[in-house]
Amino acid sequence: KLRRSVGTCYVVAMVRGKRNPRYFGLATRLRTTRKARGLTRMALAQRVGRDPSVSADIEMNQRLPTVGMVVRLAAGLEVSVGWLAYGIGSPHPEETPATTEGMSARIKTARMEQGFTKAGLARLADLSATALANIEKGAQTGVDVLEALAMALEVSPAWLAFGVEPQLLPARRSARATAESAHAAE
């Protein structure tokens, strides 16, 4: 697993030989954006209505936020929620503020369109069927769980969580493929 509990904190381990999840950069994006905006953790906490320790814990990779918390942080920092959570798209905020409204319907629709049962999708995302059922009923979930669901459904985690386009991510090109195409162009 990528995440394991150590006391009341979560330790996120880098994975060798596999592409690391997009949410791994969230802590860095949060910290650098907060500092670029000239905000202290206290000032950000006041903007989002949370204890300053929440932002500190996220910035230090001691806590993974829920997708709802990322919406509040993105609004407080005036950045795109898809960019903050997963590094997708531009950091410029959406014209219409993003929310998690409709997340459960997007998950359910994508699951059914691809012919997955709840148990089947839950197994692919390393969740229990009950956890998936709760998410489909509207329960909040972490950015890590949402990304695992998005990977299993082969859709953008930003679209699945926040309804931010595009629904499908373009395939990432490997460094080797990029170097070979650049060499061929010479």
Side-chain angles (χ1 to χ4, degrees):
K1 281 194 165 199
L2 295 174
R3 182 176 105 160
R4 63 185 167 86
S5 179
V6 177
T8 60
C9 299
Y10 286 102
V11 176
V12 180
M14 297 299 263
V15 179
R16 290 184 176 262
K18 282 177 93 175
R19 182 176 294 130
N20 285 309
R22 292 177 177 275
Y23 71 84
F24 270 22
L26 188 149
T28 302
R29 289 186 293 273
L30 175 62
R31 181 176 43 260
T32 56
T33 304
R34 179 184 57 75
K35 287 181 177 181
R37 300 278 193 270
L39 295 172
T40 63
R41 289 183 181 140
M42 180 63 79
L44 178 58
Q46 289 173 341
R47 283 186 174 193
V48 300
R50 292 288 189 237
D51 185 285
S53 67
V54 171
S55 174
D57 289 349
I58 295 168
E59 287 183 13
M60 294 184 296
N61 278 320
Q62 293 180 339
R63 175 187 294 191
L64 291 173
T66 64
V67 291
M69 184 66 210
V70 174
V71 168
R72 287 192 285 286
L73 289 167
L77 293 168
E78 299 175 351
V79 296
S80 164
V81 70
W83 176 81
L84 182 60
Y86 300 109
I88 296 172
S90 160
H92 304 292
E94 295 83 8
E95 288 183 26
T96 305
T99 69
T100 59
E101 189 173 319
M103 178 180 76
S104 58
R106 286 187 294 276
I107 293 169
K108 185 176 183 177
T109 300
R111 175 180 62 78
M112 292 173 72
E113 283 177 356
Q114 294 193 26
F116 286 116
T117 63
K118 285 180 189 173
L121 177 57
R123 202 172 18 262
L124 282 174
D126 198 24
L127 297 173
S128 70
T130 303
L132 178 59
N134 288 336
I135 295 167
E136 283 189 0
K137 289 178 186 172
Q140 278 291 309
T141 191
V143 292
D144 56 335
V145 172
L146 216 298
E147 186 164 359
L149 288 168
M151 288 175 62
L153 292 167
E154 298 179 352
V155 297
S156 162
W159 173 80
L160 200 59
F162 315 112
V164 176
E165 296 294 334
Q167 179 177 350
L168 301 176
L169 286 175
R172 287 186 181 175
R173 296 171 67 184
S174 70
R176 183 178 195 175
T178 304
E180 288 172 359
S181 65
H183 182 66
E186 292 176 353

